[in-house]
Amino acid sequence: YGGKVTDHWDRRCILALLKDFYNDNILYDKVKFSSLPEYFIPHLEELKEYDAYVNQLPEQEHPKLLGFHENADITLDRALTSDLLSSVLSLQPRSSSEGEEDANQLLKSIIQRVKDYIPGIFKIKELEHNFPILYEESMNTVLLQELLRYNRLIETIHNSIKTLEKTIAGLELSTPEIESLQDSMLKNQVPLLWKENSYPSLKPLSSWLNDLRQRLDMFSNWIDNGQPKVFWVSGFYFTQSFLTGVKQNYARKEVCPIDKINFKFQVLAIVDPEAIQEAPADGCYVHGLFLEGCGWDSENGHLAEAYPKMLYYKMPIIWIIPIKLIGEQRKTTIDSEVAAPENLIINYETPVYKTSLRQGTLSTTGHSTNYILTITLPSKEPEAHWVKRSVALLTQLNEQLKDVKE
């Protein structure tokens, strides 16, 4: 306990776990705690009988014992391996006379790639004429604010790269900040200086550069071709600002307070954004979300068990629909283009996070730096089933899409 229950998600998780042990069934013989036959409450008399029962239990617990999917073993092994390799990497010497020349050559090639890959800053003053601040179109403001945030990151990258080049050439003295930059780049890690001006990400440097370029290309396409029909929600620096813009457009259109607007979500049967011919009249289409901990039954439109060895599932396009709240209504609702099953039990409240770390801090705006919003998805299973599987939606993955089911 220890003060770790800090929000709704913590409380939901603890209640789901305690429900297995604090219930009326606990009073009956051989109550099972999972689908595994070995784990039950034995009703014995002698202490040695209890010792014998405990000793015959498997030495290594199966993921099902804790309500996890079998893929949890893969996730655990990868996390342990990543921690081990990170520890080994941190023990490497920062420099050596023998490998200094090779390191400088590698560093120069990385610098050149960064310079070629990351374009210059967006010209905000010129874009303000093409995307003026309008009462009826909040997305223009969202666009300009996003460009300002990315401009800060682009300037930080290019300025630090210029300083690093001068340091390598012996034109400037090295500083702890530049040494840290150099060390991180050689280890394929995002430098701390860049992280401080960047969006949350757990990707290594090479994947992070690819991701950043895709984000910048998305906004370049928005500038050149107008507002996209389907938004890549993963590409926003401050996603909450985008969602507020969607609400604000609807509130001004319907002439009602923005705090009386909520979202419902319609999961489409379309995965490819290119298949969408036009934007919706209200709200917006988004893509780029990944399910972790389970899969998606595209035929019946509900959550399903994950495929073996597939840790993530790429969600279809989701229509974010703003609606007026009725009275004290606060629940987010779900609709599906595919008919919901007749024996639908619940709408599972699925938290959406920017990264798989699933933790963040409150920013100056009062929003979390990682949690975005909650999307409810239909399910045949009770809520606790998915809670114990740690089901959530992510806007980005740590690595490439090799473990993703589409």
Side-chain angles (χ1 to χ4, degrees), residues 3 11 19 28 39 78 85 88 104 126 133 144 169 180 182 188 194 198 213 223 258 281 286 312 326 332-333 345 391:
R11 186 172 183 273
K19 190 176 180 181
Y28 298 98
Y39 297 93
R78 290 179 65 171
L85 293 177
V88 171
N104 284 341
E126 296 179 9
I133 298 176
L144 295 176
S180 174
Q182 175 179 331
N188 196 29
W194 299 0
S198 176
R213 181 55 188 263
I223 293 169
I258 192 171
V286 298
Y312 307 98
I326 302 174
T332 308
T333 57
I345 298 176
V391 172

Side-chain angles (χ1 to χ4, degrees), residues 70-87 202-204 207 292 307-312 356 394 397-405:
E70 293 180 3
N71 288 345
D73 273 341
I74 301 175
T75 303
L76 174 61
D77 291 341
R78 290 179 65 171
L80 293 175
T81 303
S82 177
D83 288 344
L84 174 62
L85 293 177
S86 297
S87 299
L202 302 178
K203 296 177 182 291
S207 300
E292 183 180 29
Y307 288 87
K309 299 182 181 180
M310 289 294 156
L311 306 183
Y312 307 98
S356 60
L394 308 176
L397 306 180
N398 299 4
E399 286 286 353
Q400 302 298 325
L401 308 183
K402 55 188 176 184
D403 300 320
V404 178
K405 175 69 177 178

Side-chain angles (χ1 to χ4, degrees), residues 272-315:
D272 185 9
E274 299 296 328
I276 300 295
Q277 300 299 318
E278 60 182 56
D282 293 319
C284 64
Y285 295 133
V286 298
H287 72 105
L289 292 175
F290 300 91
L291 265 176
E292 183 180 29
C294 71
W296 178 257
D297 187 336
S298 55
E299 292 185 3
N300 298 306
H302 61 76
L303 296 175
E305 294 295 348
Y307 288 87
K309 299 182 181 180
M310 289 294 156
L311 306 183
Y312 307 98
Y313 188 95
K314 187 176 182 180
M315 282 295 290

Side-chain angles (χ1 to χ4, degrees), residues 1-15 358-359:
Y1 215 58
K4 296 298 183 181
V5 183
T6 60
D7 58 19
H8 161 70
W9 305 114
D10 293 337
R11 186 172 183 273
R12 186 179 74 162
C13 178
I14 288 180
L15 288 176
R358 303 195 189 187
Q359 68 181 36

Side-chain angles (χ1 to χ4, degrees), residues 250-363:
Y250 184 77
R252 290 174 176 176
K253 176 183 175 182
E254 298 296 323
V255 193
C256 65
I258 192 171
D259 61 348
K260 297 296 183 182
I261 303 296
N262 202 358
F263 289 134
K264 75 172 185 177
F265 306 89
Q266 180 173 338
V267 183
L268 306 185
I270 303 171
V271 177
D272 185 9
E274 299 296 328
I276 300 295
Q277 300 299 318
E278 60 182 56
D282 293 319
C284 64
Y285 295 133
V286 298
H287 72 105
L289 292 175
F290 300 91
L291 265 176
E292 183 180 29
C294 71
W296 178 257
D297 187 336
S298 55
E299 292 185 3
N300 298 306
H302 61 76
L303 296 175
E305 294 295 348
Y307 288 87
K309 299 182 181 180
M310 289 294 156
L311 306 183
Y312 307 98
Y313 188 95
K314 187 176 182 180
M315 282 295 290
I317 293 171
I318 297 177
W319 181 9
I320 299 179
I321 310 171
I323 58 171
K324 294 180 182 179
L325 290 174
I326 302 174
E328 296 300 319
Q329 176 189 359
R330 290 287 173 182
K331 294 287 284 184
T332 308
T333 57
I334 181 73
D335 191 8
S336 178
E337 192 173 272
V338 182
E342 293 181 0
N343 56 341
L344 177 66
I345 298 176
I346 61 151
N347 285 327
Y348 176 70
E349 291 186 353
T350 314
V352 183
Y353 296 98
K354 293 182 180 180
T355 71
S356 60
L357 190 61
R358 303 195 189 187
Q359 68 181 36
T361 57
L362 288 179
S363 62

Side-chain angles (χ1 to χ4, degrees), residues 92-327:
Q92 285 187 330
R94 298 190 64 175
S95 63
S96 64
S97 56
E98 295 180 0
E100 187 172 352
E101 185 175 343
D102 292 338
N104 284 341
Q105 289 299 322
L106 175 59
L107 198 58
K108 288 178 181 178
S109 66
I110 297 174
I111 290 173
Q112 189 59 48
R113 184 193 173 201
V114 173
K115 291 169 66 176
D116 294 340
Y117 221 59
I118 306 302
I121 63 172
F122 295 100
K123 298 178 180 178
I124 303 297
K125 289 296 182 183
E126 296 179 9
L127 295 174
E128 286 176 346
H129 296 288
N130 298 328
F131 298 92
I133 298 176
L134 300 174
Y135 179 82
E136 63 275 6
E137 185 49 87
S138 297
M139 284 302 159
N140 288 354
T141 303
V142 172
L143 172 62
L144 295 176
Q145 289 177 345
E146 285 290 303
L147 296 182
L148 285 171
R149 296 184 184 101
Y150 277 107
N151 273 356
R152 285 196 295 270
L153 176 57
I154 293 171
E155 286 181 332
T156 300
I157 293 174
H158 284 299
N159 290 340
S160 61
I161 287 297
K162 287 179 183 178
T163 305
L164 180 57
E165 285 182 311
K166 291 179 180 179
T167 303
I168 295 174
L171 300 176
E172 286 191 13
L173 293 175
S174 181
T175 64
E177 192 176 67
I178 293 301
E179 287 182 6
S180 174
L181 174 69
Q182 175 179 331
D183 190 48
S184 296
M185 293 177 70
L186 289 174
K187 292 179 179 178
N188 196 29
Q189 298 172 346
V190 181
L192 180 61
L193 178 63
W194 299 0
K195 279 185 177 180
E196 291 173 347
N197 293 274
S198 176
Y199 47 88
S201 178
L202 302 178
K203 296 177 182 291
L205 179 59
S206 54
S207 300
W208 184 83
L209 288 172
N210 290 334
D211 179 66
L212 176 58
R213 181 55 188 263
Q214 290 176 9
R215 291 166 180 256
L216 299 179
D217 287 345
M218 179 192 77
F219 287 107
S220 295
N221 183 66
W222 188 340
I223 293 169
D224 295 337
N225 304 313
Q227 193 174 129
K229 299 179 180 66
V230 183
F231 291 93
W232 181 40
V233 71
S234 308
F236 289 95
Y237 190 114
F238 186 39
T239 318
Q240 289 90 339
S241 174
F242 163 69
L243 296 173
T244 301
V246 175
K247 281 186 177 181
Q248 200 166 56
N249 276 348
Y250 184 77
R252 290 174 176 176
K253 176 183 175 182
E254 298 296 323
V255 193
C256 65
I258 192 171
D259 61 348
K260 297 296 183 182
I261 303 296
N262 202 358
F263 289 134
K264 75 172 185 177
F265 306 89
Q266 180 173 338
V267 183
L268 306 185
I270 303 171
V271 177
D272 185 9
E274 299 296 328
I276 300 295
Q277 300 299 318
E278 60 182 56
D282 293 319
C284 64
Y285 295 133
V286 298
H287 72 105
L289 292 175
F290 300 91
L291 265 176
E292 183 180 29
C294 71
W296 178 257
D297 187 336
S298 55
E299 292 185 3
N300 298 306
H302 61 76
L303 296 175
E305 294 295 348
Y307 288 87
K309 299 182 181 180
M310 289 294 156
L311 306 183
Y312 307 98
Y313 188 95
K314 187 176 182 180
M315 282 295 290
I317 293 171
I318 297 177
W319 181 9
I320 299 179
I321 310 171
I323 58 171
K324 294 180 182 179
L325 290 174
I326 302 174

